[in-house]
Amino acid sequence: MMALETIQVAFAMYSALPMPQPEWNKDNMRYAMCAFPLIGLVCAAGWWVWSAVCLYFDLSYLLHGAGLCLLPVLITGGIHLDGYADTCDALASNAEPAKKQEILKDPRCGAFAVIKLCTYFVAYLTLCVVLEPTPRALGCMSCAFVMERAMSGLSVCRFPLAKTSGLAYTFATAADRKNTGRILYAMQIAAAAGMLALGGGLVLAAGLLVFWRYRRVTDRQFGGLSGDLAGWFLQRAELWMLAALVFCQLTYGGIL
């Protein structure tokens, strides 16, 4: 029963899927971050189902790509894109860490956030249209959906926090950080092994490089982690791993 409530907390927070709303408490939030990567499995399932539908009805590449582009947003409700937009505004300010943290809290959407979001979706849609939805490619991207969430969850448990408020602080302080970290590490290793088995070593490398960059930006430019930064990382990791996957197909089509 508690395991089910834990999953419900994660899905209620990080997805737009209809879900019972349990009352948050120290028991059902202790391992909530461990259920976060399960939302990646739902995104992966959406990609598989939509690709099968497009293949069955012989739909156009553009329609197929548009569906792949929109499905993660529809499943998550855009919660990570909100953090991505806020972080882009803060980074564009070139201000001190304290001022960047203030920008993250501003509910208004700045010009740089709009520009970055438009650029992001153009790039994501283009990659989805070009992607050849082979079983290996879809399997590799499925691992990416899980891995990026496992890394994001791990950062909430292990990175220094910038403030003593907000969702990142709430989940970090409620978590059994030691055991949650171990479980998320195991999920990352499993996802990485899946990528390597499918020939997606470059996809894995892209995700790890984005995570390295994420840690440096978090420490040097913001003075610690916030929920917006975790969302910024997740969206960047997804885009760059998809780009690496498409690059592999265009360069070594026989592998993926």
Side-chain angles (χ1 to χ4, degrees):
M1 186 65 178
M2 188 53 60
L4 180 59
E5 280 195 17
T6 297
I7 294 172
Q8 289 173 349
V9 168
F11 273 76
M13 183 65 239
Y14 294 110
S15 83
L17 301 174
M19 189 67 54
Q21 302 286 329
E23 182 179 350
W24 291 9
N25 56 57
K26 64 179 183 180
D27 293 321
N28 59 29
M29 291 189 68
R30 184 173 300 164
Y31 295 105
M33 294 310 300
C34 297
F36 183 28
L38 298 180
I39 301 169
L41 290 179
V42 178
C43 292
W47 270 44
W48 279 92
V49 171
W50 179 244
S51 296
V53 169
C54 290
L55 179 63
Y56 183 81
F57 290 103
D58 195 23
L59 301 181
S60 69
Y61 283 108
L62 181 58
L63 188 57
H64 175 253
L68 297 183
C69 179
L70 291 174
L71 272 169
V73 182
L74 295 176
I75 291 169
T76 63
I79 184 171
H80 309 301
L81 282 167
D82 176 68
Y84 177 83
D86 289 342
T87 303
C88 287
D89 262 342
L91 288 172
S93 71
N94 294 313
E96 295 298 316
K99 178 62 177 177
K100 285 189 175 78
Q101 289 292 342
E102 290 181 16
I103 294 173
L104 291 180
K105 293 186 291 185
D106 192 336
R108 295 170 295 179
C109 189
F112 287 103
V114 175
I115 293 168
K116 288 290 188 178
L117 282 173
C118 290
T119 304
Y120 182 93
F121 276 110
V122 169
Y124 202 110
L125 175 60
T126 302
L127 291 169
C128 287
V129 171
V130 174
L131 179 71
E132 184 69 28
T134 65
R136 278 195 170 192
L138 291 175
C140 200
M141 200 61 201
S142 298
C143 293
F145 283 128
V146 173
M147 184 172 181
E148 69 197 20
R149 284 166 174 79
M151 290 193 291
S152 181
L154 181 66
S155 70
V156 171
C157 294
R158 296 295 174 86
F159 285 11
L161 298 171
K163 53 186 180 179
T164 57
S165 62
L167 285 173
Y169 176 80
T170 299
F171 276 86
T173 53
D176 181 340
R177 301 175 79 169
K178 183 177 181 180
N179 289 324
T180 296
R182 289 174 176 173
I183 293 170
L184 290 171
Y185 267 127
M187 289 182 172
Q188 289 180 56
I189 292 171
M195 286 186 197
L196 292 174
L198 293 166
L202 187 61
V203 180
L204 173 60
L208 293 175
L209 282 172
V210 174
F211 188 75
W212 173 79
R213 169 67 175 163
Y214 167 46
R215 180 60 191 263
R216 288 172 63 87
V217 168
T218 296
D219 290 345
R220 297 186 178 187
Q221 298 202 43
F222 290 88
L225 179 70
S226 69
D228 286 322
L229 282 162
W232 174 78
F233 157 73
L234 192 148
Q235 295 294 162
R236 281 173 50 85
E238 191 168 306
L239 181 66
W240 281 103
M241 285 193 281
L242 176 58
L245 178 58
V246 171
F247 177 81
C248 287
Q249 284 194 325
L250 295 176
T251 310
Y252 309 105
I255 296 179
L256 291 168

